[in-house]
Structure formats: structure tokens, C-alpha cells
Amino acid sequence: MKTLVLFDIDGTLVLTGRAGVRALERALTEVCGRADMLADVAIAGRTDRAIITEALASGGFAFTEPTYRAVRDRYCGYLEGEVRADTPHPKLVLPGVVSALEQLRPLEAEGTVSVGLLTGNFVRGAEIKLGHFDLWTRFRFGAFGDGHVDRRDLVPVAIDAAAQAGEGIFAPEQIVIIGDTPADVDCAHAHGARAVAVATGTYSVEQLRATGAEVVVPDLSDWNAAWQGVYPFRPHR
Ligand SMILES: [Mg+2]
């Protein structure tokens, strides 16, 4: 049975030195005329649409599609410069990521695995962030945060994207989601998919264990061990 492997971006594949937060602060300030719009808004594991929706609400601004698009377009405009900017915050491809993606290649070539993205980033934001590290073209399809507030809604989007990319039709139990937050695990389990939780973002191994993820690892450097925990899929008896 073919397996669909879906990677989150921030805290899972890369850290961008908090470029996304700075770009979004700038965009919100420009559109709303107020600074610190993200001060009370949780970021990790959420879709960009959810973050902007809550930021507007917490600042007392009405959510409208034109306002949302204005923030999104400015954000994407600022993001590239912010990803390149000098920052004291870590900016890197996370440990084991390149090797893990390489180890998946032969499985893709033999047709037993498909690799895509499941991320809260806007598609353009994902392209900028991963493009900075030469990882964007590694992924042929994905589910992105442009149109959805709830991360759980991205699982069917990813299934559709895989089908449109010619990868076939996947049932949720054929899916492995790799992410760094409880929200990544939740969106997997909400559909009956499996989860690899990796503690390279803002959550610790202990916090991620509490999610019930099938596999919890400190980082992806021991990809083989992580992969053995979810593949090949063995049905529960
Ligand atoms: Mg993440």
C-alpha cells in the first residue's frame, strides 16, 4: 500500500529566523495602522489564515476578504527580505531533514511513497521560505494555509493535491504527517492518519509525547528510527 508523507515547514523542515512573524507584523501594521497586532496571537501550528483572522479580531478589526488579501499580499511581499535579513534567531535547515528527504527518494522512485507538504503557510510564503534553502522544488504538491482556518481541513486538501499531481488516491490511514506541534498531530489523528512529532520547533519531546503521536523524536537525524515507527503501515488488530 502506497504511503503519503506530508511535511510541515516551520520548526519541522526549517527555521527562518522568525521571518514570518516580522513580515506579518509589518503587513498588519500597514493595513491596520497599528503595531503589535500579533502580541496576543498564538502562531505555531496554525494556518496563516487563522493567525490573521485572530490578529484582526484581537485588534478590533472586522475580517473581510479584501482586508485579508491585503495583509496576505503585503506579508508575501515583505517575507523574502525578512528571510534574508540578519537576525539573532536561528535560521537553518533542521538536522536530518536533507538526509530524510534523500532517503525517501528511492521509495518515491519505486512508487511506494509520495512526498508532499501540509503547512499553515500561504503557498507563496511556503515557496519563499523553502526556496531560500533550495528545498521548494523538492515538493511537487501540498496543502497550504491560504483558504483554511482549521489545520484539520488541510488533510483532504493534501489528498486532492496528491491526486491532481498524479500520485493516486490516498485514504487517511495511508498518510503520515510530520510536524513540530500538537496541531500537526491533531490534524493527523482527526482523520485516522499517523503522526511523527519532531521537537525542533517550540514544543519539547515531553510535550509532544502527550499528543499520542505514533513517533516522537528530538529531531529528524535518526530518520530510520522515526520511519520504522510508521512504515510500513500495519493495521491495528
Ligand atoms: Mg510547524
Side-chain angles (χ1 to χ4, degrees):
M1 187 165 65
K2 198 171 179 182
T3 299
L4 175 59
V5 182
L6 297 168
F7 284 90
D8 169 58
I9 294 180
D10 297 292
T12 301
L13 295 174
V14 300
L15 293 176
T16 62
R18 296 181 64 79
V21 173
R22 288 193 305 276
L24 191 52
E25 284 280 18
R26 288 175 69 183
L28 285 163
T29 298
E30 200 172 299
V31 172
C32 300
R34 247 188 69 176
D36 291 330
M37 295 272 292
L38 291 175
D40 301 320
V41 180
I43 305 279
R46 305 183 72 198
T47 70
D48 284 345
R49 190 177 177 97
I51 294 164
I52 291 172
T53 300
E54 190 177 321
L56 291 173
S58 73
F61 294 89
F63 181 95
T64 66
E65 283 297 329
T67 304
Y68 169 67
R69 284 196 294 271
V71 174
R72 180 190 63 187
D73 294 349
R74 281 168 177 77
Y75 165 79
C76 290
Y78 288 133
L79 186 58
E80 196 152 9
E82 291 293 355
V83 169
R84 287 208 210 100
D86 281 336
T87 165
H89 303 290
K91 185 160 57 171
L92 73 162
V93 179
L94 286 159
V97 164
V98 171
S99 172
L101 292 171
E102 281 310 307
Q103 289 176 69
L104 286 167
R105 270 192 203 281
L107 299 175
E108 290 173 275
E110 72 183 26
T112 55
V113 164
S114 296
V115 174
L117 296 166
L118 191 155
T119 171
N121 279 280
F122 299 129
V123 61
R124 176 69 184 132
E127 181 179 7
I128 292 167
K129 288 180 179 178
L130 290 182
H132 179 77
F133 299 101
D134 289 328
L135 285 176
W136 174 242
T137 55
R138 175 66 178 82
F139 300 92
R140 293 178 42 243
F141 61 91
F144 302 93
D146 299 71
H148 296 274
V149 167
D150 190 341
R151 195 176 189 95
R152 291 181 174 188
D153 294 336
L154 296 182
V155 174
V157 173
I159 292 171
D160 284 349
Q164 281 173 27
E167 297 296 313
I169 306 293
F170 291 92
E173 58 268 24
Q174 290 170 263
I175 299 176
V176 175
I177 291 175
I178 302 172
D180 68 305
T181 72
D184 297 78
V185 180
D186 170 79
C187 86
H189 287 176
H191 294 273
R194 286 157 290 152
V196 174
V198 53
T200 40
T202 49
Y203 290 86
S204 67
V205 165
E206 291 70 30
Q207 287 172 310
L208 293 172
R209 283 225 174 88
T211 66
E214 280 72 12
V215 172
V216 180
V217 287
D219 60 40
L220 291 178
S221 52
D222 192 354
W223 171 250
N224 225 18
W227 188 232
Q228 296 300 316
V230 287
Y231 182 89
F233 177 55
R234 294 177 203 87
H236 297 294
R237 287 180 184 277

